[in-house]
Amino acid sequence: EAQVTQNPRYLITVTGKKLTVTCSQNMNHEYMSWYRQDPGLGLRQIYYSMNVEVTDKGDVPEGYKVSRKEKRNFPLILESPSPNQTSLYFCASSSRQASSYNEQFFGPGTRLTVL
Amino acid sequence: AQSVTQLDSQVPVFEEAPVELRCNYSSSVSVYLFWYVQYPNQGLQLLLKYLSGSTLVESINGFEAEFNKSQTSFHLRKPSVHISDTAEYFCAVRLNTGFQKLVFGTGTRLLVSP
């Protein structure tokens, strides 16, 4: 089954304790992206990757890191989490085939609470 | 840069009543338009999309949206809602180029009561 998976689905942590949220897709997609969802703000892009070893900042990258060492994986790293990073996080992926439209598939979300 | 405005943060409606969720966008170039739905405690699902061609697009569960270029709108409608339509709905835009960033609106929570 084609899917985007995220782990963990729920995480409660404390300020300053490094954490990683994993994202994996099995559709051989080139493009992957991380969003955070906050009430009243919708979804905002954190980072994206056009392909292996190619990453770039989205609209709200502060406090986050990403890496893209393999095509299928795109982990989101919070080196020193703070309470304002408490949010619902979504990973998404899509193909970059020559056709101009490629649907983005979303993971199930990771709800992070930073105390 | 593109932007999306969803004016209504919450829309309460009774079952079997019609509903319209409003979406306006801003872009200096051509865009693709989308509606995503998020059911409680679930991820995002694509509800419908406008890429080109007919300005009226429909989903399999009775929703429709009409692209209006002159008013830069992409409102979502359903003639008769069900309890199961209770969810948050997000309008999104994307450039119709290889750059695949989605820009989302702030969402509209549809609350359907019996």
Side-chain angles (χ1 to χ4, degrees), chain A residues 5-22:
Chain A
T5 57
Q6 295 178 227
N7 282 293
R9 294 289 313 281
Y10 302 91
L11 179 60
I12 300 174
T13 189
V14 295
T15 299
K17 186 176 182 181
K18 180 179 178 180
L19 66 93
T20 299
V21 183
T22 65

Side-chain angles (χ1 to χ4, degrees), chain A residues 18-69:
Chain A
K18 180 179 178 180
L19 66 93
T20 299
V21 183
T22 65
C23 172
S24 183
Q25 48 92 7
N26 62 0
M27 296 168 278
N28 201 36
H29 285 166
E30 293 84 5
Y31 181 86
M32 298 185 75
S33 179
W34 276 103
Y35 298 86
R36 60 177 288 175
Q37 180 185 354
D38 301 291
L41 296 176
L43 282 85
R44 295 175 292 167
Q45 190 182 55
I46 304 170
Y47 268 95
Y48 66 95
S49 169
M50 303 291 268
N51 214 324
V52 176
E53 302 291 1
V54 181
T55 63
D56 208 346
K57 297 177 180 178
D59 297 316
V60 287
E62 293 77 22
Y64 304 95
K65 285 174 57 177
V66 293
S67 69
R68 188 88 183 275
K69 293 184 171 58

